[in-house]
PDB file of all heavy atoms in Angstrom:
ATOM      1  N   GLU A 255       1.031-116.747 158.345  1.00 96.00           N
ATOM      2  CA  GLU A 255       1.271-115.551 159.014  1.00 96.00           C
ATOM      3  C   GLU A 255       2.505-114.855 158.369  1.00 96.00           C
ATOM      4  O   GLU A 255       2.478-113.470 158.296  1.00 96.00           O
ATOM      5  CB  GLU A 255       1.723-116.016 160.570  1.00 96.00           C
ATOM      6  CG  GLU A 255       0.566-116.392 161.446  1.00 96.00           C
ATOM      7  CD  GLU A 255       1.016-116.851 162.760  1.00 96.00           C
ATOM      8  OE1 GLU A 255       2.336-117.087 162.989  1.00 96.00           O
ATOM      9  OE2 GLU A 255       0.244-117.257 163.559  1.00 96.00           O
ATOM     10  N   MET A 256       3.488-115.521 158.017  1.00 96.00           N
ATOM     11  CA  MET A 256       4.714-114.945 157.410  1.00 96.00           C
ATOM     12  C   MET A 256       4.468-114.123 156.096  1.00 96.00           C
ATOM     13  O   MET A 256       4.702-113.047 156.079  1.00 96.00           O
ATOM     14  CB  MET A 256       5.736-116.043 157.305  1.00 96.00           C
ATOM     15  CG  MET A 256       7.205-115.395 157.205  1.00 96.00           C
ATOM     16  SD  MET A 256       8.397-116.765 157.174  1.00 96.00           S
ATOM     17  CE  MET A 256       8.092-117.477 158.769  1.00 96.00           C
ATOM     18  N   VAL A 257       3.820-114.922 155.176  1.00 94.00           N
ATOM     19  CA  VAL A 257       3.616-114.325 153.812  1.00 94.00           C
ATOM     20  C   VAL A 257       2.494-113.277 153.964  1.00 94.00           C
ATOM     21  O   VAL A 257       2.554-112.412 153.018  1.00 94.00           O
ATOM     22  CB  VAL A 257       3.200-115.466 152.787  1.00 94.00           C
ATOM     23  CG1 VAL A 257       4.584-116.378 152.622  1.00 94.00           C
ATOM     24  CG2 VAL A 257       2.069-116.225 153.139  1.00 94.00           C
ATOM     25  N   GLY A 258       1.633-113.306 154.958  1.00 93.00           N
ATOM     26  CA  GLY A 258       0.639-112.301 155.102  1.00 93.00           C
ATOM     27  C   GLY A 258       0.932-111.066 155.898  1.00 93.00           C
ATOM     28  O   GLY A 258       0.173-110.203 155.899  1.00 93.00           O
ATOM     29  N   ALA A 259       2.171-111.113 156.413  1.00 92.00           N
ATOM     30  CA  ALA A 259       2.534-109.919 157.259  1.00 92.00           C
ATOM     31  C   ALA A 259       3.140-108.775 156.482  1.00 92.00           C
ATOM     32  O   ALA A 259       3.250-107.776 157.115  1.00 92.00           O
ATOM     33  CB  ALA A 259       3.511-110.505 158.250  1.00 92.00           C
ATOM     34  N   VAL A 260       3.478-108.848 155.291  1.00 88.00           N
ATOM     35  CA  VAL A 260       4.069-107.909 154.562  1.00 88.00           C
ATOM     36  C   VAL A 260       3.024-106.920 154.009  1.00 88.00           C
ATOM     37  O   VAL A 260       2.020-107.376 153.560  1.00 88.00           O
ATOM     38  CB  VAL A 260       5.021-108.394 153.310  1.00 88.00           C
ATOM     39  CG1 VAL A 260       6.289-109.146 153.799  1.00 88.00           C
ATOM     40  CG2 VAL A 260       4.313-109.193 152.455  1.00 88.00           C
ATOM     41  N   SER A 261       3.367-105.588 153.934  1.00 80.00           N
ATOM     42  CA  SER A 261       2.419-104.517 153.468  1.00 80.00           C
ATOM     43  C   SER A 261       2.747-104.224 152.038  1.00 80.00           C
ATOM     44  O   SER A 261       1.701-103.769 151.416  1.00 80.00           O
ATOM     45  CB  SER A 261       2.600-103.389 154.442  1.00 80.00           C
ATOM     46  OG  SER A 261       3.814-102.787 154.340  1.00 80.00           O
ATOM     47  N   THR A 262       3.927-104.450 151.504  1.00 76.00           N
ATOM     48  CA  THR A 262       4.153-104.208 150.091  1.00 76.00           C
ATOM     49  C   THR A 262       4.869-105.559 149.635  1.00 76.00           C
ATOM     50  O   THR A 262       5.540-106.247 150.244  1.00 76.00           O
ATOM     51  CB  THR A 262       5.071-103.018 149.737  1.00 76.00           C
ATOM     52  OG1 THR A 262       6.294-103.327 150.476  1.00 76.00           O
ATOM     53  CG2 THR A 262       4.520-101.727 150.382  1.00 76.00           C
ATOM     54  N   SER A 263       4.738-105.810 148.303  1.00 80.00           N
ATOM     55  CA  SER A 263       5.277-107.055 147.741  1.00 80.00           C
ATOM     56  C   SER A 263       5.681-106.910 146.217  1.00 80.00           C
ATOM     57  O   SER A 263       5.191-106.063 145.656  1.00 80.00           O
ATOM     58  CB  SER A 263       4.284-108.228 147.961  1.00 80.00           C
ATOM     59  OG  SER A 263       4.940-109.463 147.612  1.00 80.00           O
ATOM     60  N   ALA A 264       6.561-107.736 145.886  1.00 86.00           N
ATOM     61  CA  ALA A 264       6.947-107.938 144.502  1.00 86.00           C
ATOM     62  C   ALA A 264       7.076-109.476 144.099  1.00 86.00           C
ATOM     63  O   ALA A 264       7.649-110.102 145.007  1.00 86.00           O
ATOM     64  CB  ALA A 264       8.225-107.012 144.145  1.00 86.00           C
ATOM     65  N   ARG A 265       6.903-109.741 142.973  1.00 88.00           N
ATOM     66  CA  ARG A 265       7.200-111.095 142.599  1.00 88.00           C
ATOM     67  C   ARG A 265       8.533-111.057 141.653  1.00 88.00           C
ATOM     68  O   ARG A 265       8.639-110.135 140.872  1.00 88.00           O
ATOM     69  CB  ARG A 265       6.161-111.702 141.652  1.00 88.00           C
ATOM     70  CG  ARG A 265       5.898-110.990 140.357  1.00 88.00           C
ATOM     71  CD  ARG A 265       4.630-111.691 139.555  1.00 88.00           C
ATOM     72  NE  ARG A 265       3.469-111.478 140.012  1.00 88.00           N
ATOM     73  CZ  ARG A 265       2.634-110.362 139.703  1.00 88.00           C
ATOM     74  NH1 ARG A 265       3.228-109.530 138.851  1.00 88.00           N
ATOM     75  NH2 ARG A 265       1.531-110.197 140.258  1.00 88.00           N
ATOM     76  N   TRP A 266       9.351-112.016 141.973  1.00 89.00           N
ATOM     77  CA  TRP A 266      10.678-111.993 141.409  1.00 89.00           C
ATOM     78  C   TRP A 266      10.842-113.229 140.628  1.00 89.00           C
ATOM     79  O   TRP A 266      10.752-114.364 140.985  1.00 89.00           O
ATOM     80  CB  TRP A 266      11.673-111.931 142.483  1.00 89.00           C
ATOM     81  CG  TRP A 266      13.214-112.222 142.400  1.00 89.00           C
ATOM     82  CD1 TRP A 266      13.839-111.865 141.298  1.00 89.00           C
ATOM     83  CD2 TRP A 266      14.087-112.992 143.110  1.00 89.00           C
ATOM     84  NE1 TRP A 266      15.151-112.358 141.247  1.00 89.00           N
ATOM     85  CE2 TRP A 266      15.347-112.972 142.473  1.00 89.00           C
ATOM     86  CE3 TRP A 266      13.973-113.599 144.467  1.00 89.00           C
ATOM     87  CZ2 TRP A 266      16.545-113.557 143.057  1.00 89.00           C
ATOM     88  CZ3 TRP A 266      15.089-114.227 145.010  1.00 89.00           C
ATOM     89  CH2 TRP A 266      16.336-114.242 144.260  1.00 89.00           C
ATOM     90  N   ALA A 267      11.052-113.039 139.287  1.00 90.00           N
ATOM     91  CA  ALA A 267      11.203-114.049 138.337  1.00 90.00           C
ATOM     92  C   ALA A 267      12.531-114.753 138.454  1.00 90.00           C
ATOM     93  O   ALA A 267      13.604-114.024 138.446  1.00 90.00           O
ATOM     94  CB  ALA A 267      11.013-113.602 136.929  1.00 90.00           C
ATOM     95  N   LEU A 268      12.553-116.060 138.827  1.00 91.00           N
ATOM     96  CA  LEU A 268      13.864-116.697 139.025  1.00 91.00           C
ATOM     97  C   LEU A 268      14.488-117.284 137.862  1.00 91.00           C
ATOM     98  O   LEU A 268      13.864-118.222 137.222  1.00 91.00           O
ATOM     99  CB  LEU A 268      13.612-117.729 140.161  1.00 91.00           C
ATOM    100  CG  LEU A 268      13.039-117.341 141.416  1.00 91.00           C
ATOM    101  CD1 LEU A 268      12.786-118.385 142.458  1.00 91.00           C
ATOM    102  CD2 LEU A 268      13.913-116.235 142.032  1.00 91.00           C
TER     103      LEU A 268
END
Side-chain angles (χ1 to χ4, degrees):
E255 289 170 357
M256 198 173 298
V257 297
V260 294
S261 57
T262 60
S263 187
R265 67 177 75 88
W266 169 35
L268 302 180

